[in-house]
Structure formats: structure tokens, C-alpha cells
Amino acid sequence: MNLVWLRRDLRVDDNTALFEASKVGGPVAAVFIATPQTWTEHHLAPIQADFIYRRLFELQQDLAALNVPLLYFEVDTFTDSVDKVVGLANALGVDDVFVNKEYELNETRRDDFLEQKLNAQSKTLHRYDDKCILPPGSVVNKQGEYFKVFTPFKKAYLSQLSLCPAHPQKAFKVKLPADLGALPSDVFSVESLFSYPRVSSERYAVETIAIYSLLREFNNDSVDRYKEDRDYPSIAGTSGVSPYLAIGALSVRQCMARVLYQQSPPLSIGRETWQNELIWREFYQHLTYFEPKLSMGKSFLAWGNALKWQNEDARIDAWKKGRTGYPIVDAAMHQLNQTGWMHNRLRMVVASFLIKDLQVDWRVGEAYFMSKLIDGDYAANNGGWQWCASTGCDGQPYFRIFNPVTQGERFDAKGDFVRQWIPALSDVPDKYIHKPWKWSNVKALSYSAPIVDHKEQREITLTNYKNAKDAMNVS
């Protein structure tokens, strides 16, 4: 028997570790191990925990159709999970364990530790680059170094992709395993075994057929308008597949293959723009692999560590609760807190506001997002926050500071999104919806005044960033 340890790859189709374990010809068992203590340290969102929990039931059925039992265990930490896998391999008489790589530092160390323990017992760990289409280290410059700017990375990436297109692999049945004895093979019916706090994720489907339909419908009906629609939060102009990529219910290969399906170059501008977003995801995964410091809370750019933060608790609390007095920021935070998801354009707006209007350390926002997002993915989340903070690889220029009023007026001109999430502003005229403090009837509103003046805060931020760069002798 071969053993597949599933983590953030909760699917049967196009799962490299499962595919390779099945190719051998013998029976296969799969295992998922919850690690509540480590999840707490990593700020796993309760809504994502519920999403994973619900997905496991569906995955168990999908695997059963392939004659693969799914076992479930719960331990405290990553270290404990290694011991559990080794013990399970011994109990099942398994010599080969199959996993798909994760590129964050703790996860890499976990798998190194597992490999050492398995090797000591003459067992083998097989690791696969399944999270990316092109593995980290395969897209490098002429000097053999990783790219630090997205545009040349994208050019090299697409060149390689044209030579080695994404071809998702279809899962297939294996031999039925022998009696598993006392090992639990149907524990998902016992809800108490999944002890991590959960918040309902029912608005997000977990059935495999529904997930595939979502991807197919986006590419059939919406992707060609993606560039025009994606920045407007009141329009359903995004794909909606990010939660499934985050837990591996979909692979990036499946997404790339679908966007290129029966398409002759050049792609439509909408397809090209969505493909670009998939490549940004790959870019951040590669950076996480090459730069362990990104998993240690450090800025990609060294001068970023010299920034001085105010970190005022009252302001942070107002930002988290959507009480800043800036409607587009507050509406976005209400969307996040109530649904576990936030529109991508608004992620940039609220991040810029926290960092550059409130002078709050980007790590505070990074952690809060992870604690709330159903699509929380460490590499993408870290990359996005450092991009907004101007401390990341190919981040935005530090002097580019989003104005929350003009961002609202540009991308929610009639205030449809704001009124959806802030009913208190429903009667405010369009002209004042993003600056209600200027409306003549403002005293009748149960809505807070702006907690800071954007123009004043912008000057403070510019000075802070200039001082940090000067201190590190960076031009």
C-alpha cells in the first residue's frame, strides 16, 4: 500500500501525489491531519477551517469512488503530524509516502523532518511540485537567479508554458486495500473530532461538480469581460475560484487549462488579464520558496524594516470593524467580516489605508486578513500586503498612496457597493456617498466621521518612508 498525505490539495483530479501513488498499481490510502495549535499560530480563519471540514466529506466520497480510503486524525502541531504519518505508515506496512510540496518555511521544515524519520526506517518520501504549474527554480533569469520583478518573470513563464502546456491529470481507480483493521476510515461523521473553531462557510459550495461548474461558467460567460469588470465591487466580475485554489479543491493547472481551452493566440484581453492573475499567484509562490524570510515576518526589501509605525490600537480596531468614516474602506471591511471574502480592488484600498493613512505595520493587516479570509493563502496574502506596503518584491512605489474617496468615486461611482454593506448611508446622494461628512444632512446619519485626514496622513507617510530609506542609504 502507498500512503498519500493530503494538506492543501483537497481534490482527486490533477493531484500529482495521488496520481503518482496510484500509478504504482497497488492499493492506496490517503490521510488528512488537522493541527489546531499550528493553525492557531498561522491565523487560520475559522471560515476556512469550516470550508476545509465540509470539503473533506466530499473528498472522502470522491476518493471512495477510486477505492481510496480517507483517514482523519487530529494532533496539535506540525511535529506531531509527522509522528502520526510515520506511525500510520508502520501500521499499514507502507514503504512509500507521497506528498505535494508546500513552500512556506514551517511546511518545508515539517516535510524535511518527515523525510528524515522515514529514511531512518528505510521508507521513502516522494515530494511533488503540484502547487505551481512551473516549479520554483524552473523560471530564472540568464544568471540562474530568481526574478525580482514580475514583468520579466511573466515573460519567461509564458515562454516556458508554451513549450510545456498545462495538462491536468485525471484520477483513476486503484486496487481495493486490505482490511484497515481498527484504523478510522469514516470519522468525518463525528463532528467533535474537528475541534478547531469554525464559522459557517455554507455560501461556498464544496461539491466537486459545483466547483468545476463555477470555473467552467466563468470561462464560458465572464472571462472575456474580466478586464472591464474586475475592478468594480458591485459587479460579479471576478472568477470566484480563489477559495478553491487556497485549499487545493482546484489546481492552478486546471484554471490555466480552462482559460486556454480551445483558444488560439492571441488571447482576448479578458483571458490574458485573468491569466496574468494566475501568474501573479505563481510569482508569489516562487518568492516564498526562494526567500524563507518572507515566512518569518520580514520585509522583502531590507529598508522596510526601518519604517516606524504608530500602531494605535483605537485606529486598528476602527479599521477592523469598518468604522473609519471612509465608506469604501468600511464597506469592504464589512464584506470581509461577514462573508470571509473581499473584492480584490478593495483589498488594495483597505491595505493602503491601514498602512499609509493609519501608519500601521502591514503585518497587522496581513494577520487579520488570514484570520478572516476563506481564500487565505500565505504566499499570496504576504505578497499582496508587502506590495501595498511598498516593501515587497516589485511592490508599488512608496509614494503611490490610494485616496479612499477617489477610489470609491472611481470604482463605486453610484455607491451601490457602499449602500449594500452600510445601510446607514442608503439615503445619502450619490454626490456625497464617498464623503458623507460634506452632505448637509450629515448630522442625521448614524455613521462616524473620518478618523484621520487623508491629506495630512499622506504627508506623514511620505516622511516616514523617506526617513527609512535614508537610514538604510537607499535611493
Side-chain angles (χ1 to χ4, degrees):
M1 181 181 291
N2 289 324
L3 179 63
V4 179
W5 183 9
L6 298 171
R7 288 87 72 97
R8 285 184 174 262
D9 47 1
L10 304 184
R11 64 184 183 278
V12 296
D13 288 333
D14 199 44
N15 185 318
T16 307
L18 178 63
F19 184 83
E20 294 296 328
S22 302
K23 273 181 23 179
V24 179
V28 177
V31 62
F32 181 87
I33 303 173
T35 54
Q37 183 175 321
T38 297
W39 286 355
T40 299
E41 293 168 358
H42 291 179
H43 308 290
L44 178 71
I47 193 171
Q48 191 178 85
D50 187 67
F51 193 47
I52 291 170
Y53 172 76
R54 292 173 53 234
R55 175 61 187 163
L56 288 173
F57 287 97
E58 299 299 323
L59 182 61
Q60 187 180 44
Q61 294 181 28
D62 291 347
L63 287 167
L66 304 176
N67 294 330
V68 177
L70 176 60
L71 311 176
Y72 173 89
F73 298 95
E74 184 170 308
V75 297
D76 288 333
T77 67
F78 275 179
T79 300
D80 298 328
S81 68
V82 168
D83 293 334
K84 180 62 69 174
V85 170
V86 174
L88 183 59
N90 287 330
L92 295 175
V94 164
D95 290 327
D96 295 274
V97 176
F98 296 75
V99 299
N100 292 316
K101 295 178 185 177
E102 296 179 287
Y103 302 119
E104 295 83 2
L105 182 59
N106 288 343
E107 285 77 357
T108 300
R109 288 174 172 172
R110 173 200 61 198
D111 289 352
D112 289 344
F113 182 43
L114 174 61
E115 186 165 37
Q116 293 171 10
K117 297 201 75 169
L118 289 174
N119 288 347
Q121 299 187 27
S122 299
K123 300 180 188 295
T124 303
L125 177 65
H126 304 268
R127 302 198 223 186
Y128 299 97
D129 287 289
D130 179 80
K131 202 171 185 179
C132 297
I133 297 175
L134 301 178
S138 66
V139 184
V140 292
N141 61 23
K142 293 179 180 179
Q143 292 73 43
E145 300 172 341
Y146 73 90
F147 286 100
K148 299 178 178 65
V149 178
F150 174 73
T151 300
F153 172 86
K154 174 188 172 182
K155 182 178 180 180
Y157 182 97
L158 288 173
S159 177
Q160 289 201 36
L161 187 65
S162 66
L163 299 175
C164 184
H167 291 303
Q169 299 166 324
K170 189 72 175 176
F172 55 88
K173 279 189 176 183
V174 296
K175 294 179 181 178
L176 281 166
D179 184 13
L180 295 176
L183 290 171
S185 60
D186 191 26
V187 298
F188 294 118
S189 61
V190 186
E191 186 171 339
S192 61
L193 286 177
F194 198 100
S195 65
Y196 193 82
R198 291 188 284 122
V199 169
S200 175
S201 61
E202 288 293 334
R203 68 173 62 230
Y204 303 94
V206 292
E207 300 80 10
T208 300
I209 189 171
I211 297 169
Y212 287 172
S213 293
L214 178 66
L215 177 61
R216 188 179 302 112
E217 288 170 6
F218 171 72
N219 274 279
N220 289 345
D221 304 334
S222 305
V223 71
D224 290 319
R225 300 193 308 273
Y226 179 72
K227 182 175 176 59
E228 291 80 12
D229 293 349
R230 65 174 183 148
D231 281 326
Y232 298 92
S234 63
I235 298 175
T238 60
S239 68
V241 302
S242 59
Y244 304 101
L245 283 169
I247 67 169
L250 274 178
S251 75
V252 69
R253 277 182 303 274
Q254 289 172 309
C255 294
M256 188 69 76
R258 176 58 60 178
V259 80
L260 298 175
Y261 179 65
Q262 292 185 341
Q263 298 296 315
S264 300
L267 298 177
S268 71
I269 189 64
R271 288 181 183 276
E272 182 180 332
T273 304
W274 196 59
Q275 182 188 59
N276 202 57
E277 294 302 304
L278 295 176
I279 300 173
W280 267 107
R281 180 183 180 277
E282 301 272 278
F283 182 56
Y284 287 140
Q285 295 291 335
H286 286 219
L287 286 177
T288 301
Y289 169 82
F290 282 110
E291 289 290 355
K293 67 182 180 182
L294 297 179
S295 298
M296 301 167 66
K298 295 181 180 179
S299 295
F300 178 83
L301 300 174
W303 64 262
N305 298 313
L307 288 165
K308 305 297 182 183
W309 306 108
Q310 295 183 11
N311 290 344
E312 292 186 16
D313 290 341
R315 289 181 176 180
I316 294 171
D317 187 63
W319 177 82
K320 288 180 177 180
K321 293 179 179 177
R323 297 176 182 172
T324 69
Y326 287 94
I328 197 66
V329 173
D330 294 343
M333 295 305 293
H334 289 316
Q335 182 184 44
L336 172 65
N337 292 333
Q338 294 177 41
T339 72
W341 185 83
M342 186 189 292
H343 189 276
N344 185 60
R345 161 61 59 174
L346 301 186
R347 296 187 195 204
M348 294 187 288
V349 172
V350 302
S352 178
F353 186 84
L354 182 72
I355 298 164
K356 295 178 178 178
D357 280 71
L358 303 184
Q359 284 85 49
V360 172
D361 191 333
W362 59 266
R363 298 165 187 84
V364 174
E366 177 195 32
Y368 188 72
F369 265 35
M370 286 301 292
S371 75
K372 292 293 182 179
L373 284 172
I374 192 166
D375 61 357
D377 172 273
Y378 185 85
N381 190 52
N382 178 272
W385 275 93
Q386 292 221 48
W387 184 90
C388 289
S390 308
T391 62
C393 185
D394 202 14
Q396 69 168 339
Y398 78 91
F399 48 82
R400 183 185 178 196
I401 301 175
F402 287 148
N403 182 318
V405 174
T406 57
Q407 286 289 307
E409 291 173 340
R410 180 177 178 186
F411 297 109
D412 188 35
K414 292 189 174 298
D416 294 337
F417 180 80
V418 164
R419 291 188 181 91
Q420 177 184 355
W421 294 103
I422 311 178
L425 299 180
S426 59
D427 294 331
V428 177
D430 294 354
K431 181 179 179 180
Y432 299 105
I433 191 64
H434 294 290
K435 45 191 175 188
W437 58 90
K438 293 188 176 183
W439 186 39
S440 58
N441 280 350
V442 64
K443 292 182 179 180
L445 298 177
S446 56
Y447 183 70
S448 60
I451 60 174
V452 294
D453 180 275
H454 171 72
K455 186 176 180 179
E456 293 177 359
Q457 298 302 110
R458 183 179 187 278
E459 294 306 314
I460 294 172
T461 292
L462 291 175
T463 299
N464 182 24
Y465 273 75
K466 183 179 185 302
N467 291 341
K469 297 186 80 169
D470 288 346
M472 301 292 288
N473 294 317
V474 177
S475 58

